[in-house]
Amino acid sequence: MPWPFDRDYMQLALVAGLVVGGCAPLIGVFLVQRRLSLMGDGIGHVAFAGVAAGVLTDVWPVWTALAAAVVAALVIERLRSRGTAQGDVVLSLFFYGGLAAGVVLVSSTDSLDSSVLSYLFGQILTVERSEVALIVALGALIVGTVAICGRALFAMAVDEEWARVAGLPVGALNAVLAVLTAVTVVVAMRAVGLLLVAAIMVVPVAAAQVLARSQLGILLWSVAVGTGSVVVGLGLARAQGLAPGGTIVLVAVAVFAIVSGVGALGRSKVAA
């Protein structure tokens, strides 16, 4: 492959990044529609506790993070759907509780393991073939599930009460979306880090909402912005020696700023 993807580690990073850049906004579309944009952040902090538990128990942190994230996602959805607490309150509980649990687990070791930092801040340039294979497999699971349940998920996201009246299994669909969010967080944590995982799920969707006028258009543009941000971000990271995860997110933010500015300029000209 041409520069900057002429090295093996860059090619592995590109494959993992494209999966993340495509899958994260794919799930983010449903979360933004339901005003649950911070759900990825809340689950990400619980996944941090799972990573710390994996480091302490000598278990591959991906598995412990996945287990913690899925359980947290299902509990959050259960509490939200039953009206036990408001959605933002539930997310806050898991946001701070997960972060506190991770800090306590990490502090119980003699030193801060570098692998914990790689999951917290992301280090896509060091992913191994086994990690890329798992990321691709989980990505295929996400895409396949959305392909099967996508229309029902869109209907529920737009109007949950209508979906219930129409006979859709709203409870099961909510659980599916919660699990998909958890899996997406785990898929993305090595690429952009748990601290920025919500950004790569939400920012491309925000840009797509400016560019598109239909649900399908928003979904396609979200994936395009996400994957494009990965390619450009990885290239800039190698060229300038920047942190790849943060650079990818900044590229997505820049795309949102540009399309928003162009859109506002166009509206002002029409009004004039």
Side-chain angles (χ1 to χ4, degrees), residues 176-270:
V176 168
L177 181 58
V179 172
L180 287 177
T181 304
V183 174
T184 303
V185 167
V186 174
V187 167
M189 66 183 182
R190 282 287 274 143
V192 297
L194 293 170
L195 293 180
L196 291 175
V197 65
I200 200 62
M201 297 177 74
V202 172
V203 176
V205 180
Q209 288 178 329
V210 180
L211 293 168
R213 291 295 176 266
S214 67
Q215 292 290 352
L216 179 59
I218 291 173
L219 189 149
L220 294 176
W221 271 111
S222 297
V223 173
V225 172
T227 53
S229 298
V230 167
V231 175
V232 176
L234 285 176
L236 287 174
R238 184 178 180 189
Q240 302 297 325
L242 305 173
T247 305
I248 290 170
V249 172
L250 285 176
V251 170
V253 172
V255 172
F256 170 71
I258 291 170
V259 298
S260 297
V262 172
L265 181 61
R267 287 191 296 271
S268 65
K269 288 183 176 180
V270 171

Side-chain angles (χ1 to χ4, degrees), residues 102-177:
V103 170
V104 169
L105 290 172
V106 169
S107 65
S108 64
T109 62
D110 294 333
S111 61
L112 185 61
D113 195 291
S114 60
S115 64
V116 175
L117 294 179
S118 70
Y119 290 105
L120 191 58
F121 297 103
Q123 190 48 268
I124 194 172
L125 300 183
T126 63
V127 291
E128 300 176 356
R129 292 186 182 275
S130 58
E131 291 179 293
V132 174
L134 179 61
I135 289 172
V136 171
L138 292 176
L141 174 64
I142 294 169
V143 173
T145 304
V146 171
I148 295 172
C149 306
R151 295 184 66 180
L153 288 171
F154 265 126
M156 182 191 67
V158 172
D159 192 335
E160 186 171 317
E161 290 303 317
W162 179 89
R164 185 174 283 107
V165 171
L168 294 175
V170 171
L173 289 171
N174 278 324
V176 168
L177 181 58

